[in-house]
Amino acid sequence: MKISEDRNITFIPYDIIANILRRLPVKSLIQFQCVSKDWENLIKSPSFIRDCLYHTGRPTPLLLLSQLGLTPRYCFQLLDPQSKQVLEIQNPPLIDSCSDLKIVGSCNGLVCLQVFHEDYGLYLPCSSNDSGTSPPYLLLWNPATRQFRKVPRTIEDFNVRHRLGFGFNPIDNDYKIVKLSSQFAVNPVEVYSLNSGSWEEVEFENLEGTIRISSWTNAVNGVVYWLGGKQRRSDDCDYSLVVSIDLTNQVCTSIPLPDLGSKKSRRLKLILYENKLAVLAITKSSLIHLWVMEEDTCASRGRWIWTKRYTCSLWSTRLSPFELNAATIWKSKIVSRPIRIFGDADETKRFCLIDLTTNEFKEFVIKCRRCNVLDINNYVESHVSVANINHKELQI
């Protein structure tokens, strides 16, 4: 810091200004873009946004999607398991009249939503019909900046037999939505690029046989993953592998899962642990197993190493395997969807946490308005833009 001899004005070096700004909440960063053109360029620069995401002081709450009672009304909340504080956040206005809502994925502060409306089972063009009802659509949304954007229709019609994934490709600094058939064999995959604002058909090398793709998905390090299994004559499917789509190399691969026992005796969940893909298996014998796929295992196709990182019993937690509905991992703790506790006018919720490093089991109760928690996702506050949004769609 130095002071001008002529005007007695304090000058702060540029790198110090940047270091101060990256510690501020998103709302302040949006406001400080008006200070000067230099500050605006700094705050909007990809390198600054990346530095903010990796700053250790950035809040990392859990994003809760809840349904209000039995009505087709939804709300989002942010939960800090450490302070047990729940914060209501403003919904994107385009979901107010929806009949069904799903979170496709959450990545670097952006949330991809799949929105359905009553009497529509297909994903149709984003236009109103004769009755004035808007058909279903995909929505990209930043809860911190309140920016949102409708995603244009896919090249081919979308229906419930298709699967979606959402991830970030660090090579080209682009957020992408992937759509593929649930009966995946030779059908092309469609990829939406946030940078280009359009869909593209991508041909992938055929996998051996037809693979049934589940709706369970996750993404890390530029690769989107789904649980999958070999298609049988019946509708029954044993999910025994992971299907991956590399957003950089446009390579599709099937990765065998480790030996997790009979499908009738366990439940699976694709999850992220220490920024790596992991699979969580909960058995009917009240055991929890966490297998992690190491980072360097995708360097050579056909060679993947799963390492069992954690095993514990549910007996000490007083939970049955049916009660532990694992949703995500937050700061090395397995987070289970809440168990409803009745008898309270506010309908309290009991959350369960299992520490992967100490095996310690904790539970805490929060009070919230009458709602049913449908999904829990990891979330980090950021000012990543949904790009090319209409000015009318921007709300702060």
Side-chain angles (χ1 to χ4, degrees), residues 56 90 103 110 135 172 177 186 190-191 212 224 260 270 273 305 332 351:
T56 56
Q90 182 175 318
I103 297 179
L110 291 189
D172 55 11
I177 303 171
V186 296
E190 294 183 49
V191 179
R212 173 79 67 86
V224 184
L260 301 172
L270 275 188
Y273 180 63
I305 301 173
S332 298
F351 285 82

Side-chain angles (χ1 to χ4, degrees), residues 171-183:
I171 302 301
D172 55 11
N173 193 39
D174 195 6
Y175 294 84
K176 297 186 177 182
I177 303 171
V178 182
K179 188 205 81 172
L180 70 165
S181 171
S182 61
Q183 307 271 341

Side-chain angles (χ1 to χ4, degrees), residues 18-73:
N19 192 33
I20 294 173
L21 290 177
R22 71 170 59 99
R23 301 169 186 270
L24 299 179
V26 169
K27 187 174 182 179
S28 298
L29 292 178
I30 299 299
Q31 294 172 340
F32 287 161
Q33 291 182 42
C34 302
V35 171
S36 69
K37 192 64 177 178
D38 288 341
W39 280 36
E40 180 184 10
N41 292 336
L42 168 65
I43 292 172
K44 290 183 176 180
S45 67
S47 60
F48 181 81
I49 294 175
R50 183 180 62 248
D51 291 343
C52 289
L53 283 169
Y54 296 135
H55 192 271
T56 56
R58 188 67 55 177
T60 57
L62 294 172
L63 178 67
L64 310 183
L65 168 61
S66 301
Q67 184 177 6
L68 304 180
L70 300 177
T71 66
R73 294 178 57 204

Side-chain angles (χ1 to χ4, degrees), residues 80-129:
D80 183 350
Q82 187 169 351
S83 65
K84 305 178 181 58
Q85 296 296 314
V86 179
L87 175 65
E88 296 274 350
I89 55 178
Q90 182 175 318
N91 285 349
L94 297 180
I95 72 167
D96 290 343
S97 60
C98 72
S99 60
D100 193 14
L101 182 66
K102 300 181 186 302
I103 297 179
V104 177
S106 173
C107 182
N108 293 347
L110 291 189
V111 182
C112 181
L113 301 175
Q114 182 182 2
V115 188
F116 289 91
H117 287 263
E118 192 173 0
D119 298 329
Y120 284 91
L122 298 177
Y123 187 102
L124 301 173
C126 293
S127 61
S128 298
N129 58 17

Side-chain angles (χ1 to χ4, degrees), residues 160-161 163 180-185 207-216 226-243 254:
V160 294
R161 293 183 298 274
R163 303 306 187 201
L180 70 165
S181 171
S182 61
Q183 307 271 341
F184 185 57
L207 298 178
E208 184 179 348
T210 302
I211 292 177
R212 173 79 67 86
I213 305 295
S214 79
S215 58
W216 302 314
W226 294 264
L227 279 178
K230 294 293 184 179
Q231 179 65 53
R232 298 178 177 179
R233 293 182 180 179
S234 65
D235 291 334
D236 194 20
C237 181
D238 182 8
Y239 292 114
S240 58
L241 52 85
V242 172
V243 174
S254 63

